[in-house]
Amino acid sequence: MTNLRHFTPTRHGGLGVQILGERAQKDFATSTKVTSKLTEAIKEQSLIAQDICHESVREAKVCKETEFRSNRDGLMREVTPPVKRVLEIISEKGASSWLNALPLKAQGFALNKTEFTDALNLRYFRELRGLRSDCPCGQKFTVTHALNCKRGGFVHMRHDSIRDLLAKLLSRVQNDVETEPQLLPTPEETASENTADGARLDIRARGFWRNGQHAFFDVRVFNPLSATSLKSSLKLCYSNQEREKKRAYNNRVMQNEGGTFTPLVFTVFGTASRECSNFLKTLSMKLDTKTEDKIKLRFVGLDVNYHF
């Protein structure tokens, strides 16, 4: 686990800190192999096609990537299910972007020593120091319990923080944005699970997907390390969370409001489901064309990561 954390790139669950003593021989052999044909051409004063050099570099990258994946997969077969799930999550695209980001205070990306240490411990499913032994609800206080327990309002604060961030970003590219819009009363024949009067979704933005059409969004943050989630694959967990939201609101929004509904499903680690990732990508593209500072998708994703 230690070698994986230090040397493996962040995209494979590591920290990207190379141990030069362990890599020197392998990297030297790779460098020699990649440049061998170019070296021969220089000695013989002959021409060599650039494609040959590029192909050698590509082969070396593939071999290195295969080695990283093999090391990670081998480790995942040896660890406990919660740790395996953590490694799976932090290997997702964008999950480790906060580790590679510059600590820009203007963007809110600067962490102090305690925050950074706690973030690393949470990243590798290690208990935090100084935690109390028992929760006010009566259960044993652990990291997993803290992510699930609704006592004290932290679960709601986590949800509201992401909702407010996304609404703020949406307001920069759309003129008509509203948080917690109340849905119209629904007739009895509407095929939705949630038909209660006064039901609300998290965000409404006019013209996000199509000009003049209302786009409704609802945020859900779930813990993939809970006992229920560990029984299913991570991909299935995302799908189940999206389907549950759509069963409750999709038909109601389409039939009553004439709009679209998109569930925005996040894990507590800041990773996103397929539909949510598409939303973030589209939002980033709109921000890129609307603003002068050229905000890219990685900054939108980083904002979400740091809010977690």
Side-chain angles (χ1 to χ4, degrees), residues 84-266:
K84 180 180 179 180
R85 173 57 57 86
V86 167
L87 292 176
E88 184 181 0
I89 294 170
I90 64 179
S91 298
E92 287 197 329
K93 184 178 181 180
S96 303
S97 54
W98 65 275
L99 273 172
N100 299 322
L102 294 175
L104 304 175
K105 288 186 177 181
Q107 298 290 342
F109 298 159
L111 301 178
N112 60 39
K113 182 178 179 180
T114 301
E115 291 171 337
F116 185 75
T117 303
D118 288 346
L120 287 182
N121 286 330
L122 290 173
R123 176 178 170 84
Y124 294 111
F125 197 61
R126 298 174 61 181
E127 291 296 328
L128 305 181
R129 295 181 180 180
L131 294 181
R132 59 186 301 166
S133 58
D134 297 315
C135 179
C137 71
Q139 300 291 326
K140 183 179 179 181
F141 194 81
T142 62
V143 171
T144 301
H145 178 75
L147 294 173
N148 296 333
C149 184
K150 296 182 179 180
R151 187 77 175 267
F154 291 111
V155 170
H156 300 291
M157 291 169 60
R158 179 180 65 200
H159 168 275
D160 293 348
S161 176
I162 297 302
R163 179 202 62 197
D164 294 342
L165 168 66
L166 296 177
K168 179 181 177 181
L169 293 174
L170 278 168
S171 65
R172 298 174 63 178
V173 296
Q174 307 296 149
N175 294 325
D176 185 6
V177 177
E178 180 185 5
T179 56
E180 296 193 350
Q182 184 171 332
L183 299 179
L184 295 172
T186 177
E188 296 181 357
E189 62 271 13
T190 301
S192 290
E193 289 187 356
N194 190 334
T195 58
D197 291 340
R200 296 176 181 271
L201 292 174
D202 285 325
I203 306 172
R204 177 191 59 79
R206 182 191 292 270
F208 183 79
W209 297 117
R210 182 184 297 176
N211 289 337
Q213 186 181 42
H214 291 299
F216 290 85
F217 307 94
D218 204 56
V219 176
R220 169 167 289 185
V221 182
F222 77 99
N223 181 15
L225 300 180
S226 65
T228 303
S229 298
L230 286 175
K231 296 178 181 178
S232 306
S233 67
L234 185 59
K235 184 177 180 180
L236 184 59
C237 288
Y238 282 132
S239 298
N240 290 340
Q241 298 290 343
E242 288 182 337
R243 281 198 297 268
E244 185 176 338
K245 282 289 185 184
K246 286 190 171 184
R247 283 198 302 266
Y249 296 107
N250 193 51
N251 288 336
R252 180 171 182 173
V253 168
M254 292 177 63
Q255 296 174 17
N256 287 18
E257 307 287 343
T260 61
F261 173 69
T262 305
L264 304 179
V265 178
F266 296 92

Side-chain angles (χ1 to χ4, degrees), residues 258-295:
T260 61
F261 173 69
T262 305
L264 304 179
V265 178
F266 296 92
T267 68
V268 295
F269 292 87
T271 56
S273 64
R274 181 181 60 84
E275 291 197 35
C276 185
S277 296
N278 291 337
F279 162 77
L280 292 175
K281 184 176 181 179
T282 304
L283 176 59
S284 173
M285 294 171 62
K286 288 178 176 286
L287 284 167
D288 188 38
T289 57
K290 283 275 186 177
T291 58
E292 296 179 357
D293 50 353
K294 298 296 183 182
I295 299 178

Side-chain angles (χ1 to χ4, degrees), residues 12-124:
H12 290 305
L15 294 177
V17 181
Q18 294 199 17
I19 304 175
L20 299 180
E22 297 181 3
R23 292 298 308 178
Q25 292 296 329
K26 292 182 179 180
D27 289 347
F28 177 74
T30 301
S31 177
T32 302
K33 180 180 179 181
V34 168
T35 60
S36 59
K37 294 182 179 179
L38 181 60
T39 303
E40 293 176 4
I42 293 175
K43 289 179 178 179
E44 298 175 0
Q45 293 296 297
S46 60
L47 298 177
I48 183 173
Q50 290 186 350
D51 292 343
I52 297 178
C53 296
H54 293 164
E55 184 63 30
S56 299
V57 173
R58 282 193 292 268
E59 290 178 359
K61 288 182 178 180
V62 169
C63 291
K64 201 169 186 178
E65 191 74 9
T66 302
E67 179 186 354
F68 290 144
R69 291 181 182 275
S70 177
N71 292 339
R72 185 194 64 189
D73 294 342
L75 179 64
M76 291 178 69
R77 289 191 290 268
E78 301 173 0
V79 296
T80 59
V83 177
K84 180 180 179 180
R85 173 57 57 86
V86 167
L87 292 176
E88 184 181 0
I89 294 170
I90 64 179
S91 298
E92 287 197 329
K93 184 178 181 180
S96 303
S97 54
W98 65 275
L99 273 172
N100 299 322
L102 294 175
L104 304 175
K105 288 186 177 181
Q107 298 290 342
F109 298 159
L111 301 178
N112 60 39
K113 182 178 179 180
T114 301
E115 291 171 337
F116 185 75
T117 303
D118 288 346
L120 287 182
N121 286 330
L122 290 173
R123 176 178 170 84
Y124 294 111

